[in-house]
């Protein structure tokens, strides 16, 4: 069906993945691999970006746990001359030393996630698998650190 038969609108995106198309625009018209070497470089970039994204996600989780332990709310109670520490859940106080780095890392993490989403939306199978393999290797590498 041509664009005139469908009401004059064309989305510009195909509805299926392309398998043998090296010339896929990635992020800008200046980044369009036209050779196998350029395509391999783009693939490796997406692989390492997905790997970094997974590592940053685990790092954020570890830092949140560290900051929660470091700034845990507690009070010292004196009962009949005996001191005891009473740990209680409290609203976390806003700290510049915690919240600014957390927000910066979370923003970088979300930016990387959006870049990976755009790469997958090119509907190029190679780019799709670069993101999946990078995520998989990142999960194997970093998730075990998260469990500790």
């Amino acid at each position: 069906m041509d664009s005139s038969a469908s009401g004059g609108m064309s989305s510009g995106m195909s509805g299926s993945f392309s398998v043998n198309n090296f010339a896929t625009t990635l992020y800008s018209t200046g980044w369009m691999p036209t050779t196998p070497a350029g395509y391999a470089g783009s693939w490796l970039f997406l692989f390492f970006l997905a790997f970094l994204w997974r590592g940053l996600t685990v790092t954020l989780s570890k830092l949140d746990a560290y900051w929660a332990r470091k700034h845990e709310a507690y009070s010292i109670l004196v009962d009949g001359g005996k001191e005891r520490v009473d740990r209680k859940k409290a609203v976390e106080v806003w700290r510049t030393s915690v919240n600014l780095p957390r927000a910066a890392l979370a923003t970088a993490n979300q930016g990387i996630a959006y870049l990976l989403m755009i790469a997958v939306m090119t509907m190029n199978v190679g780019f799709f698998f670069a993101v999946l393999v990078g995520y998989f290797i990142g999960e194997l590498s970093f998730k075990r650190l998260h469990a500790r």
Side-chain angles (χ1 to χ4, degrees), residues 92 109 118:
E92 188 175 331
N109 193 35
I118 290 170

Side-chain angles (χ1 to χ4, degrees), residues 50-116:
F51 183 81
L52 174 70
W53 177 57
R54 193 64 198 131
L56 192 55
T57 301
V58 170
T59 301
L60 272 168
S61 179
K62 294 290 275 186
L63 281 173
D64 274 341
Y66 167 74
W67 286 323
R69 282 190 315 273
K70 183 178 178 185
H71 301 293
E72 186 175 37
Y74 65 91
S75 58
I76 298 175
L77 301 175
V78 179
D79 253 351
K82 295 181 185 177
E83 288 185 0
R84 66 183 175 97
V85 175
D86 183 29
R87 296 187 184 276
K88 57 183 175 182
K89 296 273 184 188
V91 176
E92 188 175 331
V93 177
W94 198 92
R95 290 182 169 83
T96 305
S97 63
V98 172
N99 291 359
L100 286 180
R102 178 187 292 153
L105 288 173
T107 302
N109 193 35
Q110 194 62 38
I112 291 171
Y114 286 140
L115 287 174
L116 292 171

Side-chain angles (χ1 to χ4, degrees), residues 8-27:
M9 296 182 64
S10 175
S11 68
M13 290 181 60
S14 65
S16 62
F17 280 97
S18 62
V19 178
N20 56 1
N21 186 8
F22 284 140
T24 301
T25 302
L26 183 64
Y27 302 130

Side-chain angles (χ1 to χ4, degrees), residues 109-140:
N109 193 35
Q110 194 62 38
I112 291 171
Y114 286 140
L115 287 174
L116 292 171
M117 178 191 65
I118 290 170
V120 169
M121 288 177 59
T122 63
M123 303 302 276
N124 184 298
V125 169
F127 291 165
F128 175 72
F129 280 113
V131 171
L132 282 182
V133 171
Y135 181 88
F136 179 78
I137 299 298
E139 182 72 16
L140 284 177

Side-chain angles (χ1 to χ4, degrees), residues 18-51:
S18 62
V19 178
N20 56 1
N21 186 8
F22 284 140
T24 301
T25 302
L26 183 64
Y27 302 130
S28 73
T29 55
W31 190 338
M32 184 184 306
T34 55
T35 64
Y39 190 79
S42 296
W43 197 95
L44 285 173
F45 172 77
L46 290 173
F47 169 82
F48 285 117
L49 195 62
F51 183 81

